[in-house]
Amino acid sequence: MRKNKHEARKAPRARSAATHEKRGGARKRGLSHAASSKRSQQSAGRRDAILAAALKEFSANGFAATRLDDVAKRAGVAKGTIYLYFRDKETLFQELIRSALSPMISVIEAAPAADVPLHVITEMLATRFVREVYRTDRKQVVRLVLAEGRRFPKVAEFYYREVIGRAMKAMRKLVARAVERGEIQSDAIGRFPQLIIAPVLVAIVWEGLFDRFEKLDPEAMLRTHFDLMFKGLERRDA
């Protein structure tokens, strides 16, 4: 009987110790998770800083003349840190293309799911392009590819695959649906989606070369281009 009383006194202490140990383990896991989250945020911050610095250096010097030492200095990191995120300068530039323009391309790819007419979608895309690319440093990526793509075919190939090819595929889907619905009677712009993309490139080239002589309203130009294009298709097939 005495043994049972002793064990009864020990049981609450054991449960208390187990509860304390469990709470201590949960606290440690919480601290570990917080530390891991902080490290992840710091890592993402360094990566973003490197990409931002790379855009500045590539824009100022071009692809060939840009040195990773200068990118590291501008980003405030050691040169070796760049290699933790990017294999080489070409990989860094490719990721710059992806991070700068993939959000816009994703919007274009999602457009076919919207149940709205083609001309409304193109106007929406024009507005978004001006706001998120043309009015930001992201347009420098397009300008760099136009200037350097011939000398660096791998860069041009990557840009075509990640930007141009995806955009044209999405545009063909939009045009095919518009033809099926009777919004337009010809699939010409589906066969040549470059006609939809062309004014985007014109706007960026103009801004870089001639804007100081004559200002261009890119959004108004894009809207005018789309209006003329759709009206022309309607008249031609009427």
Side-chain angles (χ1 to χ4, degrees):
M1 185 70 179
R2 186 179 302 169
K3 181 178 180 181
N4 291 338
K5 288 183 179 179
H6 179 68
E7 290 177 350
R9 286 195 298 269
K10 288 177 62 179
R13 289 198 297 271
R15 286 195 296 270
S16 177
T19 301
H20 180 74
E21 183 178 350
K22 185 176 180 180
R23 289 176 178 172
R27 190 179 301 112
K28 289 179 180 179
R29 287 193 296 271
L31 292 173
S32 176
H33 177 73
S36 177
S37 178
K38 184 177 180 180
R39 286 193 297 269
S40 296
Q41 291 175 356
Q42 290 174 339
S43 178
R46 282 193 294 270
R47 187 177 186 278
D48 290 343
I50 292 169
L51 286 170
L55 178 57
K56 296 292 186 184
E57 290 297 323
F58 283 130
S59 299
N61 305 310
F63 180 80
T66 292
R67 304 185 312 149
L68 291 183
D69 301 79
D70 296 327
V71 173
K73 183 178 180 180
R74 185 183 286 270
V77 300
K79 181 180 178 180
T81 302
I82 294 179
Y83 294 107
L84 296 176
Y85 301 91
F86 311 100
R87 186 173 66 250
D88 50 30
K89 184 169 71 170
E90 185 174 291
T91 305
L92 172 58
F93 189 70
Q94 289 176 350
E95 187 55 36
L96 187 59
I97 292 173
R98 183 182 287 116
S99 64
L101 299 176
S102 279
M104 184 69 203
I105 299 304
S106 295
V107 170
I108 297 174
E109 289 176 326
D115 188 23
V116 295
L118 178 60
H119 75 274
V120 174
I121 292 177
T122 54
E123 288 181 3
M124 178 272 291
L125 292 175
T127 300
R128 191 149 186 169
F129 162 77
V130 171
R131 184 178 67 247
E132 297 185 9
V133 179
Y134 185 86
R135 300 292 186 199
T136 72
D137 285 342
R138 291 176 178 177
K139 67 177 178 291
Q140 302 294 349
V141 175
V142 181
R143 189 173 292 151
L144 279 164
V145 173
L146 293 175
E148 307 272 15
R150 182 176 290 275
R151 295 174 59 200
F152 301 96
K154 287 186 178 180
V155 169
E157 179 185 357
F158 182 85
Y159 185 81
Y160 177 83
R161 185 174 68 249
E162 292 292 323
V163 180
I164 298 296
R166 289 170 58 190
M168 290 201 302
K169 182 179 179 181
M171 288 298 181
R172 286 189 171 107
K173 289 183 179 179
L174 287 169
V175 172
R177 188 183 67 178
V179 171
E180 183 180 340
R181 290 180 169 187
E183 296 173 21
I184 56 176
Q185 298 181 33
S186 171
D187 68 344
I189 55 174
R191 288 182 283 116
F192 303 105
Q194 293 90 340
L195 292 170
I196 301 175
I197 300 172
V200 168
L201 301 179
V202 170
I204 290 175
V205 171
W206 185 277
E207 193 272 344
L209 294 177
F210 308 120
D211 201 57
R212 58 192 173 123
F213 305 116
E214 183 175 343
K215 295 291 182 181
L216 174 68
D217 183 338
E219 189 170 352
M221 184 191 73
L222 287 168
R223 290 178 184 276
T224 301
H225 173 79
F226 294 142
D227 285 344
L228 292 172
M229 183 172 62
F230 292 134
K231 289 177 182 177
L233 287 172
E234 291 169 1
R235 282 197 303 267
R236 182 162 52 248
D237 294 320

